[in-house]
Every structure is written in C-alpha cells, then in structure tokens.
Amino acid sequence: MREEDCIDLLRGAGCSDGVIAHCRAVRDLALAYASDPLVDRDLVETGALLHDIGRGVTHDLRHAEVGGEMCRSFGLDEAVAAIVERHIGAGLTADESSLLGLAPRDCMPCTLEEKIVAHADNLVKGTRAIALEERLQHAIALPRRQRKRVCRLAQEMELFR
C-alpha cells in the first residue's frame, strides 16, 4: 500500500499530525530491520504506518484492538490488521488482554513483520528513536515478565539490523 494511501486512512480515522509523524518514524526504523529477504518489506511499511490508526478513536491500550478492527473494516489484508493488534509492547497474552479490559485474545507478535513493527514502536518515543534502556525505564511499572518479553524481542530483532 502506498504511503499516501496510509496517511489518508490515518487522517480519515481522526489521527493527529503528531500520531502520523510518530507512525512515519516507526516506519523508518522498522524498515532498518527489514533488509532480510525473508521479511515482507511492503507489509512492514504498511503495518508500521498504520500501527496507531486506532489512536484516532482512543489513546489508551484499546487503540490496538480498535485499530485492528478498523483495518478489517477497510478491507485491508489480515496481516496488516494483525500487526496493528499485536504491536503493544512485546505483545499481550489472552489473560493479560482480559485483565486490561480488552478482548480475551492472544495479541503476541508471531510473524517477523509483527515483531519488527512492535520492536520499532518500542524504540520510538514521539518521533525520536530511543535506546532500549530508555524504553525499559519507561516500562518500569510493567510486570517483570512483560519487561523480560520486551528485552527478548529486542534481542531477537537486533539480529536483523
């Protein structure tokens, strides 16, 4: 999907210029991890650009769930919707989703493309790329297993950079 089409969808969904700038920054970083021939670069680019489309509706954790549903309603590929739904931190188990008031479904990134976008989003604050250490400082309130999951995802993704 072309960048312009993604930006049109973000604007149509009510996303602010700040959210759109963040999505572009995540896209730029994600593409740095997408050089392996096994990775679908077009999917990474589209998923990264649209990962926060749900922020046009809400800025809480539900934005991923809402965004995935929006992508499906637009007729986008299920792989894009999955990237959008699974980009929170390093993913959420069905139990964690349920405890957070989300639909009780597994939202763990599984594919390389899902993992790349989740990791890139973890390393972009606003439009600024940050180090993993800074991300972990902001995640200090998360349960230990979720922090460990962010670290494991980072270790796995750094092999692709």
Side-chain angles (χ1 to χ4, degrees):
M1 183 175 226
R2 295 174 339 135
E3 177 180 3
E4 297 80 20
D5 296 329
C6 292
I7 301 305
D8 287 345
L9 287 175
L10 290 167
R11 289 193 195 290
C15 292
S16 68
D17 289 341
V19 168
I20 292 169
H22 167 75
C23 291
R24 283 183 165 136
V26 169
R27 182 266 324 263
D28 293 346
L29 183 57
L31 288 175
Y33 289 89
S35 60
D36 190 291
L38 295 174
V39 177
D40 182 337
R41 284 181 62 84
D42 292 335
L43 178 57
V44 167
E45 181 169 18
T46 298
L49 282 169
L50 296 177
H51 81 278
D52 271 349
I53 193 165
R55 290 199 182 273
V57 175
T58 182
H59 281 276
D60 63 24
L61 282 178
R62 291 177 301 131
H63 79 275
E65 185 176 80
V66 169
E69 291 305 319
M70 291 172 81
C71 289
R72 289 183 189 91
S73 75
F74 297 149
L76 299 179
D77 191 290
E78 180 59 29
V80 173
I83 287 172
V84 171
E85 281 183 338
R86 297 174 180 176
H87 80 272
I88 300 290
L92 297 169
T93 66
D95 286 344
E96 290 166 343
S97 294
S98 182
L99 288 171
L100 292 168
L102 305 172
R105 66 176 158 223
D106 188 317
C107 288
M108 297 294 292
C110 300
T111 68
L112 282 173
E113 294 82 7
E114 291 167 6
K115 291 176 180 182
I116 287 168
V117 173
H119 179 58
D121 187 43
N122 284 338
L123 297 182
V124 174
K125 184 176 181 184
T127 58
R128 181 175 62 89
I130 62 172
L132 179 61
E133 293 76 18
E134 184 176 345
R135 171 53 59 217
L136 292 173
Q137 287 174 351
H138 293 289
I140 197 72
L142 291 176
R144 184 175 181 199
R145 75 177 178 189
Q146 287 178 345
R147 290 193 316 269
K148 280 184 165 183
R149 204 179 298 145
V150 170
C151 288
R152 280 194 307 270
L153 178 62
Q155 287 173 332
E156 182 180 351
M157 291 299 96
E158 287 305 315
L159 298 173
F160 289 91
R161 193 165 194 187

